[in-house]
Amino acid sequence: MKKNIFFFCAIALLSLSAFGMNVECEYANSNMGYAKTQINAALLTQDINQARFYAYRAISALEKSKNQLNVCGCKKAKESMLENMEVLTLATKSTTLEGAITYLSKSISLTNNTISVLESHDTHESTYANDALSINTSAKAEKTTTKTKSKTKKKDLFETIDTSLEKYRISLDKVVQSVNCKDATAFATRIFDECEAQLLKPDISEGSKYYNLRTKEITQEALNKIGNCSSKK
């Protein structure tokens, strides 16, 4: 009987662990998106000091993604991100705008690669792939049960947040449909930027982090629906 209980708990823990890893991958990808906006801003400026400023902000966002990528377990994404941080550091040390632009151009390519790798994370090898499957059958069922309950509680919290955000999705859709393009864009952009800022905070709670991630994703969908205001009459 104890073996059966342990086996059930182990399988449940494996499933919930994968869920947790995927969420951390999404958190990391969100930070990549923020870093990308900073690098693009650096590429557009004609002032080397401004370019350095935006590069530093991008480095800060990537630095905050290290732990998330460790949990996510995506080795390729982590390698790409670490290389990117080195390139951005060189950009901050460049003495000419042309030199900084060269490094920033390479950085944007690396950022796009990291985002692409994270989005396809489930299709390639994870550093946790073998570990997740190597369940220690000598461990006590009670210990496994405790871990399973903890992860189940987190998953329940996330599902509650997803449900509550459906009201926000509906309200935002109404804004997109009824408010003029520029005002709707400004409204959604303010929410999107606030979510990005919250996600970069080191002391944010698990619930708040997930809430801001999902809110950001829903808002991005709305911005995609709004499109380019200049092309609309």
mmCIF file of all heavy atoms in Angstrom, residues 177-199:
data_model
loop_
_atom_site.group_PDB
_atom_site.id
_atom_site.type_symbol
_atom_site.label_atom_id
_atom_site.label_comp_id
_atom_site.label_asym_id
_atom_site.label_seq_id
_atom_site.Cartn_x
_atom_site.Cartn_y
_atom_site.Cartn_z
ATOM 1 N N GLN A 177 -12.641 47.653 -28.312
ATOM 2 C CA GLN A 177 -13.729 47.789 -29.281
ATOM 3 C C GLN A 177 -14.424 49.155 -29.239
ATOM 4 O O GLN A 177 -14.939 49.629 -30.260
ATOM 5 C CB GLN A 177 -14.767 46.694 -29.037
ATOM 6 C CG GLN A 177 -14.246 45.291 -29.321
ATOM 7 C CD GLN A 177 -15.165 44.203 -28.798
ATOM 8 O OE1 GLN A 177 -16.329 44.465 -28.483
ATOM 9 N NE2 GLN A 177 -14.658 42.988 -28.695
ATOM 10 N N SER A 178 -14.425 49.789 -28.062
ATOM 11 C CA SER A 178 -15.239 51.004 -27.921
ATOM 12 C C SER A 178 -14.465 52.310 -27.776
ATOM 13 O O SER A 178 -15.011 53.388 -28.000
ATOM 14 C CB SER A 178 -16.176 50.849 -26.712
ATOM 15 O OG SER A 178 -15.417 50.681 -25.520
ATOM 16 N N VAL A 179 -13.198 52.241 -27.409
ATOM 17 C CA VAL A 179 -12.395 53.448 -27.194
ATOM 18 C C VAL A 179 -11.552 53.720 -28.435
ATOM 19 O O VAL A 179 -11.120 52.786 -29.118
ATOM 20 C CB VAL A 179 -11.498 53.289 -25.951
ATOM 21 C CG1 VAL A 179 -10.631 54.516 -25.740
ATOM 22 C CG2 VAL A 179 -12.355 53.010 -24.721
ATOM 23 N N ASN A 180 -11.317 55.001 -28.736
ATOM 24 C CA ASN A 180 -10.528 55.324 -29.933
ATOM 25 C C ASN A 180 -9.115 54.741 -29.803
ATOM 26 O O ASN A 180 -8.596 54.550 -28.703
ATOM 27 C CB ASN A 180 -10.487 56.839 -30.188
ATOM 28 C CG ASN A 180 -9.597 57.585 -29.215
ATOM 29 O OD1 ASN A 180 -8.377 57.497 -29.269
ATOM 30 N ND2 ASN A 180 -10.206 58.332 -28.306
ATOM 31 N N CYS A 181 -8.512 54.482 -30.942
ATOM 32 C CA CYS A 181 -7.258 53.733 -31.029
ATOM 33 C C CYS A 181 -6.138 54.266 -30.131
ATOM 34 O O CYS A 181 -5.526 53.527 -29.373
ATOM 35 C CB CYS A 181 -6.791 53.705 -32.484
ATOM 36 S SG CYS A 181 -5.348 52.658 -32.770
ATOM 37 N N LYS A 182 -5.877 55.560 -30.190
ATOM 38 C CA LYS A 182 -4.760 56.125 -29.428
ATOM 39 C C LYS A 182 -4.981 56.025 -27.920
ATOM 40 O O LYS A 182 -4.059 55.712 -27.166
ATOM 41 C CB LYS A 182 -4.535 57.582 -29.836
ATOM 42 C CG LYS A 182 -3.956 57.737 -31.239
ATOM 43 C CD LYS A 182 -3.641 59.184 -31.553
ATOM 44 C CE LYS A 182 -3.007 59.311 -32.938
ATOM 45 N NZ LYS A 182 -2.692 60.724 -33.281
ATOM 46 N N ASP A 183 -6.212 56.294 -27.487
ATOM 47 C CA ASP A 183 -6.514 56.216 -26.050
ATOM 48 C C ASP A 183 -6.440 54.772 -25.558
ATOM 49 O O ASP A 183 -5.952 54.511 -24.451
ATOM 50 C CB ASP A 183 -7.895 56.797 -25.762
ATOM 51 C CG ASP A 183 -7.922 58.316 -25.886
ATOM 52 O OD1 ASP A 183 -6.841 58.913 -25.894
ATOM 53 O OD2 ASP A 183 -9.027 58.887 -25.987
ATOM 54 N N ALA A 184 -6.945 53.850 -26.365
ATOM 55 C CA ALA A 184 -6.909 52.432 -25.998
ATOM 56 C C ALA A 184 -5.460 51.941 -25.916
ATOM 57 O O ALA A 184 -5.090 51.201 -25.000
ATOM 58 C CB ALA A 184 -7.690 51.599 -27.011
ATOM 59 N N THR A 185 -4.646 52.381 -26.858
ATOM 60 C CA THR A 185 -3.222 51.998 -26.861
ATOM 61 C C THR A 185 -2.514 52.547 -25.632
ATOM 62 O O THR A 185 -1.743 51.831 -24.981
ATOM 63 C CB THR A 185 -2.526 52.521 -28.131
ATOM 64 O OG1 THR A 185 -3.149 51.950 -29.285
ATOM 65 C CG2 THR A 185 -1.047 52.152 -28.132
ATOM 66 N N ALA A 186 -2.773 53.803 -25.308
ATOM 67 C CA ALA A 186 -2.137 54.429 -24.138
ATOM 68 C C ALA A 186 -2.551 53.721 -22.855
ATOM 69 O O ALA A 186 -1.713 53.462 -21.975
ATOM 70 C CB ALA A 186 -2.520 55.904 -24.071
ATOM 71 N N PHE A 187 -3.829 53.384 -22.754
ATOM 72 C CA PHE A 187 -4.353 52.696 -21.572
ATOM 73 C C PHE A 187 -3.704 51.328 -21.403
ATOM 74 O O PHE A 187 -3.201 50.983 -20.325
ATOM 75 C CB PHE A 187 -5.871 52.544 -21.711
ATOM 76 C CG PHE A 187 -6.512 51.739 -20.611
ATOM 77 C CD1 PHE A 187 -6.698 52.291 -19.352
ATOM 78 C CD2 PHE A 187 -6.927 50.431 -20.826
ATOM 79 C CE1 PHE A 187 -7.284 51.550 -18.331
ATOM 80 C CE2 PHE A 187 -7.509 49.682 -19.814
ATOM 81 C CZ PHE A 187 -7.687 50.246 -18.563
ATOM 82 N N ALA A 188 -3.676 50.553 -22.479
ATOM 83 C CA ALA A 188 -3.110 49.199 -22.423
ATOM 84 C C ALA A 188 -1.599 49.240 -22.203
ATOM 85 O O ALA A 188 -1.050 48.413 -21.464
ATOM 86 C CB ALA A 188 -3.440 48.438 -23.703
ATOM 87 N N THR A 189 -0.942 50.215 -22.819
ATOM 88 C CA THR A 189 0.519 50.323 -22.673
ATOM 89 C C THR A 189 0.912 50.637 -21.234
ATOM 90 O O THR A 189 1.906 50.111 -20.720
ATOM 91 C CB THR A 189 1.080 51.400 -23.618
ATOM 92 O OG1 THR A 189 0.767 51.047 -24.969
ATOM 93 C CG2 THR A 189 2.590 51.529 -23.471
ATOM 94 N N ARG A 190 0.131 51.495 -20.569
ATOM 95 C CA ARG A 190 0.404 51.817 -19.155
ATOM 96 C C ARG A 190 0.332 50.564 -18.293
ATOM 97 O O ARG A 190 1.183 50.343 -17.430
ATOM 98 C CB ARG A 190 -0.591 52.865 -18.643
ATOM 99 C CG ARG A 190 -0.268 54.285 -19.040
ATOM 100 C CD ARG A 190 -1.012 55.298 -18.182
ATOM 101 N NE ARG A 190 -2.451 55.137 -18.274
ATOM 102 C CZ ARG A 190 -3.211 55.742 -19.177
ATOM 103 N NH1 ARG A 190 -2.658 56.537 -20.078
ATOM 104 N NH2 ARG A 190 -4.525 55.566 -19.185
ATOM 105 N N ILE A 191 -0.682 49.736 -18.539
ATOM 106 C CA ILE A 191 -0.828 48.496 -17.770
ATOM 107 C C ILE A 191 0.327 47.549 -18.074
ATOM 108 O O ILE A 191 0.920 46.937 -17.168
ATOM 109 C CB ILE A 191 -2.172 47.819 -18.091
ATOM 110 C CG1 ILE A 191 -3.329 48.718 -17.654
ATOM 111 C CG2 ILE A 191 -2.269 46.447 -17.408
ATOM 112 C CD1 ILE A 191 -4.699 48.226 -18.072
ATOM 113 N N PHE A 192 0.674 47.421 -19.352
ATOM 114 C CA PHE A 192 1.766 46.539 -19.772
ATOM 115 C C PHE A 192 3.085 46.955 -19.116
ATOM 116 O O PHE A 192 3.811 46.116 -18.569
ATOM 117 C CB PHE A 192 1.902 46.588 -21.298
ATOM 118 C CG PHE A 192 2.935 45.651 -21.863
ATOM 119 C CD1 PHE A 192 2.578 44.370 -22.246
ATOM 120 C CD2 PHE A 192 4.258 46.050 -22.001
ATOM 121 C CE1 PHE A 192 3.536 43.494 -22.766
ATOM 122 C CE2 PHE A 192 5.219 45.190 -22.519
ATOM 123 C CZ PHE A 192 4.847 43.906 -22.901
ATOM 124 N N ASP A 193 3.388 48.245 -19.158
ATOM 125 C CA ASP A 193 4.645 48.744 -18.575
ATOM 126 C C ASP A 193 4.680 48.537 -17.056
ATOM 127 O O ASP A 193 5.729 48.222 -16.489
ATOM 128 C CB ASP A 193 4.816 50.231 -18.887
ATOM 129 C CG ASP A 193 5.099 50.478 -20.371
ATOM 130 O OD1 ASP A 193 5.425 49.511 -21.071
ATOM 131 O OD2 ASP A 193 4.963 51.633 -20.812
ATOM 132 N N GLU A 194 3.534 48.722 -16.404
ATOM 133 C CA GLU A 194 3.466 48.525 -14.961
ATOM 134 C C GLU A 194 3.711 47.054 -14.603
ATOM 135 O O GLU A 194 4.420 46.752 -13.632
ATOM 136 C CB GLU A 194 2.103 48.972 -14.428
ATOM 137 C CG GLU A 194 1.894 48.729 -12.942
ATOM 138 C CD GLU A 194 2.884 49.455 -12.051
ATOM 139 O OE1 GLU A 194 3.450 50.488 -12.494
ATOM 140 O OE2 GLU A 194 3.119 48.995 -10.921
ATOM 141 N N CYS A 195 3.167 46.162 -15.394
ATOM 142 C CA CYS A 195 3.384 44.724 -15.159
ATOM 143 C C CYS A 195 4.863 44.374 -15.321
ATOM 144 O O CYS A 195 5.414 43.615 -14.522
ATOM 145 C CB CYS A 195 2.550 43.889 -16.139
ATOM 146 S SG CYS A 195 0.776 43.918 -15.801
ATOM 147 N N GLU A 196 5.500 44.910 -16.350
ATOM 148 C CA GLU A 196 6.926 44.657 -16.555
ATOM 149 C C GLU A 196 7.740 45.154 -15.374
ATOM 150 O O GLU A 196 8.671 44.491 -14.920
ATOM 151 C CB GLU A 196 7.408 45.329 -17.841
ATOM 152 C CG GLU A 196 7.056 44.569 -19.100
ATOM 153 C CD GLU A 196 7.958 44.921 -20.266
ATOM 154 O OE1 GLU A 196 8.389 46.095 -20.350
ATOM 155 O OE2 GLU A 196 8.225 44.030 -21.091
ATOM 156 N N ALA A 197 7.398 46.329 -14.884
ATOM 157 C CA ALA A 197 8.121 46.905 -13.741
ATOM 158 C C ALA A 197 7.949 46.040 -12.496
ATOM 159 O O ALA A 197 8.916 45.804 -11.744
ATOM 160 C CB ALA A 197 7.615 48.325 -13.472
ATOM 161 N N GLN A 198 6.738 45.542 -12.264
ATOM 162 C CA GLN A 198 6.473 44.693 -11.109
ATOM 163 C C GLN A 198 7.236 43.371 -11.200
ATOM 164 O O GLN A 198 7.772 42.877 -10.203
ATOM 165 C CB GLN A 198 4.968 44.405 -10.991
ATOM 166 C CG GLN A 198 4.122 45.600 -10.607
ATOM 167 C CD GLN A 198 4.439 46.125 -9.226
ATOM 168 O OE1 GLN A 198 4.654 45.362 -8.293
ATOM 169 N NE2 GLN A 198 4.470 47.451 -9.093
ATOM 170 N N LEU A 199 7.300 42.814 -12.395
ATOM 171 C CA LEU A 199 7.968 41.523 -12.588
ATOM 172 C C LEU A 199 9.476 41.603 -12.368
ATOM 173 O O LEU A 199 10.122 40.587 -12.104
ATOM 174 C CB LEU A 199 7.677 40.985 -13.996
ATOM 175 C CG LEU A 199 6.260 40.445 -14.216
ATOM 176 C CD1 LEU A 199 5.974 40.255 -15.700
ATOM 177 C CD2 LEU A 199 6.073 39.130 -13.463
#
